[in-house]
Amino acid sequence: MPNSRLDTYRQMRDFSRTEEPSGISAEIAASDHLRFVIHKHDASQLHFDLRLEWNGTFLSWAVPKGPSLDSADKRLAMAVEDHPLDYGDFEGIIPKDLYGGGTVMIWDRGLWIPEPGFEDVDKHLQKGELKFVMEGNRMHGSWVLVRLKPKTGEKGKPWMLIKHKDSAAKTGNKGGPSDRDKSVASTRTMKQIASNASADVAPYMTQPRRSAKLETTTSTKSRAKTKTVKPSALPDFIEPQLATNISSPPAGDVWAHEIKFDGYRLQLRIDGGNNTLRTRKGSDWTKRFPAIAAAAKGLKDGIYDGEAVALDDEGKPSFALLQNVLDGERDASLVYYA
C-alpha cells in the first residue's frame, strides 16, 4: 500500500518523464540502523539535500550552502517534502522543466541515530530541535537541527543545521563541499553526471552490504555482491589503510568496526587470470600462500584487501599456527578474509 506521507512528493513529479523513484513497490533492504543520504543538487540554484530515514520515508531539508564541519557555521536548512527510501540510490538528471530539474549527486550517505534524550524524533521535531549523530563517508559526529521562526511573508519552513563541537568538527570546514566533489557511490563529478557519463551507482538501499569470505576449499566463492567498474589497467600495488592509535574514541554512539584477525595482511591482485599476493609493504608472497592464490580463481579482476589466517581445532585464528604452517611444520585450514 502506498505510503500517504509521500502524497506531496508524488503530486509534484511526473514519473513518466523523470527517473526519480516513486516509492511504490520498492524493494528496500532491511537495516538495523537508520540511514541518511546527502544529495548535491544543481537545480535552479546549487544546494544540498539532507535526508534522514524515519518511519518509512526520508525526512528532507534543502541546505543552500551544504553542511559545514565547522561548529561556528550555522547553515540554513529548509524543510521540504518527505522522499521515498529508494531515493537513497538516486543519482542522475531531472529534466530541466520539471520540479527540481537539474543534476543530482550522491554526495554522502551512511547511518544516523538520535542522541540520548532525543529518541522520540517526532516529538522533538515538533518542539523544533533534534540532536543526532551521522557516520558516513564525509559526515561524522554530532549535529543539531533547530527550527527558526519564519520571517514575515516567508512561505518555507526554515531550520538551522549546526555541527557540534567534537573530535569530528573541523575549523574552516575542511572536507566540506567543494567544486572538486565526487559521488561517494559512482565517483563521478557533477559534470560527468550531467553529461550522463557511464559509471555504476553502487546500490545502497536495495541491497544489504556484506563482507566477503574466501576459503581454501574445493568450492570457494566470494559472497560479496558488488558492482564494479573495471579500470583500463590495474595498478601494481595499492598501499593499504592501516589502523591508527588515537587518544580518544570518535564522538557519538554509532560505531562501525572490523574484527582483528590474527594473521597476515595480504593484497590479492587478480588480472587476466594471473593471481598474486602481496604483503602490506608490497613484497610478493604468492609462493608462500599458493592455496589462497588458487582458491581465488574465477573471481573478477581487481585488487582485494584482506587478511590470511590459520584456524585451529576450535576454528579460531592462531598466528603461531599460521607461522608453523608457513614453515611446513603443521597442516591447518587457511582462510582469506577479504
Side-chain angles (χ1 to χ4, degrees), residues 128-141:
E129 183 182 38
L130 177 64
K131 295 181 180 181
F132 60 101
V133 172
M134 287 190 286
E135 289 299 331
N137 294 70
R138 289 182 163 116
M139 298 292 97
H140 306 282

Side-chain angles (χ1 to χ4, degrees), residues 158-169:
W159 293 66
M160 280 290 181
L161 176 65
I162 307 169
K163 180 77 185 77
H164 281 149
K165 292 182 179 179
D166 56 24
S167 60

Side-chain angles (χ1 to χ4, degrees), residues 21 27 34 42 51 70 80 84 91 104-105 108 126 128 133 161 170 203 232 254 297 319 334:
E27 295 183 4
L34 298 168
D42 190 6
R51 313 195 193 283
D70 191 333
V80 297
E91 179 174 283
V104 179
M105 168 198 284
D108 196 19
Q126 188 174 8
V133 172
L161 176 65
K170 296 181 180 180
S232 57
V254 178
K297 183 179 180 180
F319 186 71
L334 296 184

Side-chain angles (χ1 to χ4, degrees), residues 269-309:
R269 185 179 188 274
I270 303 176
D271 188 8
N274 183 27
N275 298 354
T276 56
L277 290 160
R278 295 186 180 275
T279 68
R280 67 185 191 181
K281 296 295 186 180
S283 300
D284 191 334
W285 275 23
T286 309
K287 291 183 179 180
R288 301 197 71 182
F289 292 92
I292 291 178
K297 183 179 180 180
L299 289 180
K300 293 181 178 180
D301 284 5
I303 293 179
Y304 299 74
D305 186 15
E307 190 92 4
V309 303

